[in-house]
């Protein structure tokens, strides 16, 4: 069954790596629903957050192929239950209209939004949340002349994750320690031996 | 005086000396033990060729006739020598001509380092003369690639390139170097080989518990079956592999790239897997109870229809590449790691056993195949020669000691089915990609990689015409390669499919050929053409005994088919004997 999966990839900061990762999806004709790449908490290491709609079987194989790339340190995949995620949205609306027709204060409170810029001609609101939440604010603002809207890609934190600093130490050792978790799959002994 | 000293190239008196990027590249080649480079010069790689001129005594450069020939030669070199093949090409068309070879090396896990010239860094993205986006074109067909725009990067990046190409599951690496970096002089601090990259794990940690679980399954098995691929050869684990199957007493069949890892006359060698493999290994895949896959990737040409493949068996999969586990066939027990390490661990835990009844089943299958296929192929009753009898006759002359390089098509299947091999790294073929035109240049490289061995290229009339310009490379380099063209005046494999699956609608498979012997003669290569049975053996002997390259054209049956065959979309047990 296809469902939304969030793929988290830790990589070296290397020219051309975005293409190397992107073509792994396009080769299999998988559409990328959302893609974010930015520096991680560890200097020099970038974090990709990629959202796709696929079956687990496809995602598992794909993530292994991604992790195999030389400049990729680690790749994870998670269902929506296993992550906390947000998208950031910006809304540009005419200040006149807003001031006249909308109870701005209530709007901001209800949608957890804040005004980033207030000018004579326009105002920019910002909010973050899941897709439905940012969509809701569009529907509120559209009747009052929404000029422009933009949404960021998803960023996600894996609930179980213990951060990447520890993991990186393992990678920096020349010889991997026997206790190194090479792949989560391998540590699920009982689930692996399907007899 | 002072200035003269400063600008003199490669001042060697000091520890830190000033050299150009091109010289640093040549130094890297020497440090990595490279002796032979296959390549073709051009505008954007001229500084490197200029530097190469000064390293002539240390680095042998083989001038090919086309960059595709260069990369296939490097592949042949890597496959027979076990070392990393090196290719030089210029920017633009020179680089794009490498793409087929890169794809071939990628899918067949062949270690290569390809150096391409690139336009000056300030011209990148300006549609400069012979500029092409090589990095992005080659990304899907390289294990790693990198563009160098500054000479100071050259030593470190080259060290990484050789490390990545040759370690773990090997593969092709491409390094694109802009012309300014080739020309740039910098303070060279020496070359340091690379042994570790933090984001790269060449091999997974071996998990003992999985080896133990695998051993338990093997010890409890009644009809275990080993299938092995090139992983055994790439891991240099031929002895470890032999020790394992001999102790466990398990029959073993090979993929086309695993061929020659185990000598063909070994009593436990039961033959070839896959679409045109032997009858027994295919049929009995669906009768074994434990299937032990070693260094192979369950290619679709091996498995046929996946939902009809070894459904009854528990699968133990030994592979160095974690991404191969469960990719096509779900493993009951995955044994990750270099089989050079995992096989001895497994051998220590398995019981000494033999399965005479199970082996008899393979023998019965061989008997059936012998009656239905071998007899007709090896001892035809018609006056027209068959491909199989050519290979069989060659076996008697070389006694299985030659390196056989094959192209793609019917002749390839026949050569792999019937050729005898006594030692590893003797079978060079384009397996995964199926690149017609591979064999002639690959044979050149194979000979440079194993100069003391006899190299025989077996090629079809179609494939030969794809890269026949490399006869020029043979002529100029003087490399001694024996070439057999099995000429059926057809693109035989496509014709066979048209006969079997497209109502004999022979669309564009009737291919005309030049006078191959005269063509070879034009390049100063001796040769002859035979079509009569009594002349076959003497002709093959003349070819082998000839001191120099030789081209032997053998006219074979026009509409012969390769059998057995697992038709596409069928399970392995549905293999057809005719």
């Amino acid at each position: 069954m296809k469902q939304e999966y969030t793929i988290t990839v830790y990589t070296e900061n290397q020219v051309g790596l975005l293409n190397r990762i992107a073509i792994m999806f396009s080769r299999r004709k998988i559409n990328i629903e959302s893609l974010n790449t930015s520096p991680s908490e560890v200097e020099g290491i970038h974090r990709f957050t990629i959202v796709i709609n696929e079956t687990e079987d496809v995602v598992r194989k794909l993530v292994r192929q991604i992790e195999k790339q030389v400049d990729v340190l680690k790749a994870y995949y998670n269902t929506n239950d296993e992550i906390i995620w947000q998208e950031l949205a910006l809304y540009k609306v005419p200040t006149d209209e807003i001031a006249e027709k909308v109870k701005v204060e209530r709007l901001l409170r209800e949608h957890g939004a804040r005004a980033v810029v207030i000018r004579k001609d326009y105002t920019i609101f910002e909010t973050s949340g899941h897709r439905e939440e940012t969509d809701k604010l569009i529907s509120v603002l559209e009747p009052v002349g929404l000029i422009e809207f933009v949404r960021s890609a998803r960023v996600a934190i894996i609930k179980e994750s213990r951060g990447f600093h520890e993991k990186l130490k393992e990678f920096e050792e020349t010889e991997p320690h026997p206790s190194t978790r090479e792949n989560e799959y391998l540590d699920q002994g009982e689930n692996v031996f399907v007899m | 005086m002072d200035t003269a000293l400063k600008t003199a190239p490669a001042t060697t008196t000091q520890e830190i000396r000033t050299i150009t990027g091109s010289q640093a590249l040549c130094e890297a080649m020497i440090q990595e033990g490279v002796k032979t480079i296959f390549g073709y010069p051009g505008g954007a790689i001229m500084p490197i060729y200029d530097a190469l001129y000064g390293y002539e005594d240390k680095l042998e450069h083989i001038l090919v006739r086309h960059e595709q020939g260069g990369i296939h030669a490097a592949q042949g070199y890597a496959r027979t020598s076990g070392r990393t093949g090196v290719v030089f090409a210029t920017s633009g068309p020179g680089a794009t001509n490498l793409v087929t070879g890169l794809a071939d090396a990628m899918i067949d896990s062949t270690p290569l380092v390809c150096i391409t010239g690139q336009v000056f860094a300030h011209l990148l993205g300006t549609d400069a003369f012979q500029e092409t986006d090589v990095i992005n074109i080659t990304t899907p067909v390289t294990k790693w690639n990198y563009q160098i725009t500054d000479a100071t990067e050259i030593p470190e990046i080259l060290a990484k390139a050789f490390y990545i190409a040759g370690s773990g599951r090997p593969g092709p690496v491409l390094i694109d170097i802009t012309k300014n970096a080739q020309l740039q002089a910098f303070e060279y601090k020496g070359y340091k080989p690379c042994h570790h990259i933090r984001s790269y794990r060449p091999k997974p940690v071996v998990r003992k518990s999985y080896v133990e679980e695998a051993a338990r399954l093997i010890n409890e098995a009644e009809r275990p079956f080993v299938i092995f691929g090139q992983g055994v050869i790439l891991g240099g684990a031929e002895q470890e592999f032999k020790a394992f199957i001999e102790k466990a007493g398990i029959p073993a069949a090979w993929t086309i790239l695993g061929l020659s890892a185990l000598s063909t006359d070994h009593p436990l060698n039961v033959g070839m897997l896959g679409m045109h493999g032997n009858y027994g290994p295919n049929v009995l895949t669906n009768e074994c109870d434990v299937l032990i896959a070693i260094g192979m990737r369950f290619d679709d040409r091996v498995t046929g229809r996946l939902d009809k493949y070894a459904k009854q068996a528990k699968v133990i999969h030994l592979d160095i590449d974690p991404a191969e586990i469960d990719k096509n066939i779900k493993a009951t027990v995955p044994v990750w790691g270099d089989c050079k390490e995992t096989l001895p661990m497994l051998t220590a835990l398995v019981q000494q056993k033999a399965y005479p009844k199970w082996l008899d089943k393979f023998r019965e299958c061989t008997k059936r195949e012998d009656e239905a296929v071998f007899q007709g192929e090896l001892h035809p009753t018609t006056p027209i020669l068959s491909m199989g009898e050519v290979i069989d006759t060659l076996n008697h002359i070389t006694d299985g000691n030659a390196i056989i390089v094959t192209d793609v098509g019917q002749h390839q299947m026949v050569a792999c089915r019937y050729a005898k091999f006594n030692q590893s790294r003797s079978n060079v073929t384009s397996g995964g990609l199926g690149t017609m035109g591979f064999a002639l240049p690959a044979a050149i490289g194979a000979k440079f990689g194993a100069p003391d061995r006899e190299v025989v290229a077996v090629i079809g009339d179609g494939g030969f015409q794809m890269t026949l310009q490399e006869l020029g490379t043979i002529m100029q380099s003087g490399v001694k390669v024996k070439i057999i063209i099995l000429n059926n005046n057809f693109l035989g494999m496509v014709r066979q499919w048209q006969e079997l699956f497209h109502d004999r609608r022979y669309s564009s498979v009737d291919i005309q050929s030049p006078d191959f012997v005269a063509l070879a003669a034009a390049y100063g290569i001796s040769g002859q053409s035979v079509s009569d049975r009594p002349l076959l053996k003497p002709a093959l002997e003349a070819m082998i005994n000839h001191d120099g390259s030789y081209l032997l054209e053998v006219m074979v049956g026009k509409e012969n088919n390769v059998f057995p065959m697992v038709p596409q979309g069928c399970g392995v047990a549905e293999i057809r004997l005719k």
Side-chain angles (χ1 to χ4, degrees), chain B residues 398 401-404 426 447 450-456 480-482 543-546 548:
Chain B
T398 63
N401 292 320
I403 289 170
I404 309 273
S426 297
K447 183 71 182 176
D452 299 331
R453 298 190 60 195
E454 189 77 69
V455 173
V456 181
K480 292 172 188 174
V481 173
K482 309 299 161 80
M543 176 189 84
I544 295 294
N545 295 331
H546 181 77

Side-chain angles (χ1 to χ4, degrees), chain B residues 26-81:
Chain B
C26 293
E27 290 290 336
M29 294 294 158
I30 289 164
Q31 293 290 324
E32 290 291 343
V34 175
K35 294 193 173 60
T36 310
I37 295 161
F38 302 91
Y40 205 102
I45 197 168
M46 283 185 62
I48 288 173
Y49 272 85
D50 184 61
L52 205 53
Y53 197 71
Y55 285 88
E56 260 182 338
D57 53 331
K58 289 181 186 136
L59 295 169
E60 177 184 32
H61 180 269
I62 305 302
L63 178 66
V64 293
R65 293 298 178 271
H66 187 286
E67 290 85 354
Q68 186 191 350
I71 191 165
H72 289 331
Q75 289 178 271
Y77 176 90
R79 295 269 279 271
T80 59
S81 70

